């Protein structure tokens, strides 16, 4: 009788063990709230820096447009950088700016301003660039989260490793820690989602702010997102020859 009871308990517990969420799918879903895997979207990003090493850094404003596989960011302010463009297609990225004869290939790891890398501005496609593993579930600021370990799947990713907190209820990334290949913590980031966008008849949250803090100093970069527009773009807008 006892053996039957143990067997029944094991059968009841088995579905729960099998129901562990798929980390890669969690990542894919969370990407949408930061412009990843959406059919067509445009938005504005404003960057501001603070901290003792940020006195000479000017605020920036960029216009970004993206589809499922590409994104294009154009600098509007400051005037010294106006007209510079950063094109990302799949895992490749190029920079063009007034005075350059032709676009040059760049890495998304290059610093854009303050603590923000160029790859932080492009549409987020973590599910394509990282292999995800579920580390644990924990509560962050009162919100139950899945904690994912993201390992870079290619040399074109912005970071080598990310520990990423995804809200269980909202399915958005709420916190990130960015690491070097050697395991050194470089930066930490938090996210807010006060924007919404309607895609396919469904309203989904969209990032409104990203705050990136240096791990060793008081340097901080804040990105604010607005002016969201759902729009279909011609493929030619994401061709490097048209930069």
């Amino acid at each position: 009788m006892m053996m039957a009871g143990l067997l029944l308990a094991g059968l009841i517990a088995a579905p729960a063990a099998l129901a562990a969420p798929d980390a890669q799918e969690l990542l894919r879903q969370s990407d949408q709230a930061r412009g990843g895997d959406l059919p067509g979207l445009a938005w504005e990003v404003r960057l501001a820096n603070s901290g003792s090493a940020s006195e000479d850094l000017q605020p920036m404003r960029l216009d970004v447009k993206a589809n499922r596989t590409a994104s294009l960011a154009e600098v509007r302010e400051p005037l010294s950088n106006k007209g510079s463009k950063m094109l990302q297609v799949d895992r490749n990225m190029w920079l063009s700016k007034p005075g350059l004869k032709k676009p040059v290939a760049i890495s998304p790891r290059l610093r854009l301003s303050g603590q923000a890398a160029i790859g932080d501005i492009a549409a987020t496609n973590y599910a394509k660039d990282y292999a995800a593993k579920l580390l644990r579930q924990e509560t962050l600021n009162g919100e139950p989260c899945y904690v994912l370990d993201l390992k870079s799947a290619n040399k074109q990713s912005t970071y080598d490793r990310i520990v990423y907190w995804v809200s269980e209820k909202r399915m958005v990334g709420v916190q990130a820690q960015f690491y070097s290949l050697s395991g050194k913590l470089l930066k930490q980031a938090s996210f807010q989602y006060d924007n919404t966008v309607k895609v396919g008849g469904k309203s989904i949250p969209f990032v409104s702010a990203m705050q990136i803090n240096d791990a060793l100093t008081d340097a901080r970069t804040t990105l604010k997102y607005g002016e969201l527009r759902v729009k279909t773009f011609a493929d030619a807008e994401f061709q490097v020859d048209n930069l």
Side-chain angles (χ1 to χ4, degrees), residues 41-43 62-67 70-75 84-89 93-94 96 121-123 233 236-240 242-243:
L41 194 64
W43 64 90
L62 303 95
D63 289 336
V64 182
K65 60 182 72 172
N67 62 16
S71 65
L72 177 65
E74 181 172 357
V75 179
S84 296
K85 297 179 181 180
M86 290 147 284
L87 173 66
Q88 167 261 321
V89 180
M93 184 169 279
W94 297 267
S96 74
I121 303 301
F233 299 103
E237 296 198 48
F238 301 104
Q239 292 180 1
V240 65
N242 293 333
L243 280 180

Side-chain angles (χ1 to χ4, degrees), residues 176 178 188-192 209-213 220-223:
F178 305 110
Q188 302 182 72
S190 59
F191 307 89
Q192 296 177 15
M210 175 183 183
Q211 182 174 294
I212 310 173
N213 298 280
R220 179 175 65 194
T221 300
T222 301
L223 290 71

Side-chain angles (χ1 to χ4, degrees), residues 8-30:
L8 179 60
L11 291 173
I12 293 174
L18 295 174
D22 181 88
Q24 207 67 31
E25 177 60 19
L26 292 175
L27 189 58
R28 188 196 68 79
Q29 291 184 45
S30 69

Side-chain angles (χ1 to χ4, degrees), residues 122-243:
T124 299
N125 281 294
Y126 281 174
K128 293 181 179 180
D129 292 333
Y130 297 89
K133 175 184 176 182
L134 179 62
L135 290 178
R136 60 186 180 275
Q137 292 172 255
E138 69 179 32
T139 299
L140 178 68
N141 298 325
E143 185 170 19
C145 293
Y146 298 111
V147 185
L148 307 181
D149 186 23
L150 311 183
K151 296 289 182 65
S152 173
N154 58 78
K155 294 181 179 180
Q156 284 73 39
S157 59
T158 308
Y159 301 100
D160 291 300
R161 176 177 176 241
I162 304 173
V163 177
Y164 200 43
W165 282 255
V166 176
S167 165
E168 292 185 19
K169 182 178 180 180
R170 295 183 292 152
M171 207 52 62
V172 298
V174 294
Q175 180 174 280
Q177 293 178 336
F178 305 110
Y179 292 85
S180 68
L181 187 61
S182 64
K184 178 182 177 182
L185 177 62
L186 302 173
K187 296 180 283 189
Q188 302 182 72
S190 59
F191 307 89
Q192 296 177 15
Y193 297 87
D194 296 327
N195 291 322
T196 58
V197 60
K198 184 168 285 188
V199 179
K202 179 183 177 182
S203 292
I204 63 173
F206 193 83
V207 64
S208 58
M210 175 183 183
Q211 182 174 294
I212 310 173
N213 298 280
D214 182 74
L216 298 177
T217 71
D218 64 348
R220 179 175 65 194
T221 300
T222 301
L223 290 71
K224 294 187 176 181
Y225 303 76
E227 306 294 331
L228 270 69
R229 304 178 303 282
V230 176
K231 187 176 179 181
T232 300
F233 299 103
D235 291 342
E237 296 198 48
F238 301 104
Q239 292 180 1
V240 65
D241 292 339
N242 293 333
L243 280 180

